[in-house]
């Protein structure tokens, strides 16, 4: 398997497909899993809802939680998230930060 950037790969003989100057990693005996999706996510939400605990929460704390949840998802193999909306468009702002390279995170599909 030859990786070509984020989310793209090709199958075949490495020597023929990769060319020279590439790093080769043996995956013999391993399983390659494609990126997973979460199709319903509220990045800033907490479960179960703890409204009294988060009432009056600073917007920055809400945003930090959204970044943390997105980062955690990526770490466990979820490479794409469909968000259902977040307070103050936190998901949209996070999407822009990820796409610009400011932050590392999964691909976001924002409602």
């Amino acid at each position: 398997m030859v990786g070509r950037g984020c989310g793209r790969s090709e199958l075949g003989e490495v020597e023929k497909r990769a060319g020279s100057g590439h790093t080769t990693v043996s995956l013999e005996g391993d399983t390659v899993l494609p990126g997973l999706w979460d199709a319903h996510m509220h990045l800033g939400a907490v479960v179960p809802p703890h409204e009294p605990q988060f009432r009056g929460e600073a917007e920055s704390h809400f945003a930090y939680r959204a970044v943390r949840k997105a980062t955690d998802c990526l770490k466990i193999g979820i490479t794409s998230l469909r968000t259902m909306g977040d307070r103050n468009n936190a998901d949209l702002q996070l999407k822009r930060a990820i796409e610009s390279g400011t932050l590392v995170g999964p691909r976001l599909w924002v409602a």
Side-chain angles (χ1 to χ4, degrees):
M1 183 172 77
V2 178
R4 302 221 183 262
C6 183
R8 290 185 50 208
S9 63
E10 299 175 26
L11 297 177
E13 292 182 43
V14 173
E15 294 78 19
K16 291 180 181 177
R17 295 217 175 244
S20 63
H22 290 81
T23 302
T24 302
V25 177
S26 174
L27 298 175
E28 188 173 337
D30 292 331
T31 301
V32 177
L33 181 69
L36 302 173
W37 274 79
D38 187 325
H40 186 124
M41 174 69 71
H42 298 274
L43 288 169
V46 292
V47 177
H50 298 289
E51 189 169 317
Q53 180 182 350
F54 294 100
R55 189 174 292 137
E57 174 184 45
E59 294 306 320
S60 57
H61 289 188
F62 184 88
Y64 298 150
R65 188 169 49 253
V67 170
R68 173 69 186 267
K69 194 179 286 186
T71 303
D72 287 350
C73 285
L74 186 61
K75 286 179 180 178
I76 63 169
I78 298 173
T79 59
S80 298
L81 296 172
R82 175 71 165 119
T83 67
M84 300 293 118
D86 276 294
R87 210 165 71 201
N88 295 321
N89 294 319
D91 52 352
L92 181 59
Q93 299 306 320
L94 180 54
K95 174 184 174 71
R96 290 177 180 157
I98 291 169
E99 288 178 350
S100 72
T102 302
L103 294 172
V104 175
R107 183 174 294 138
L108 297 181
W109 301 86
V110 180

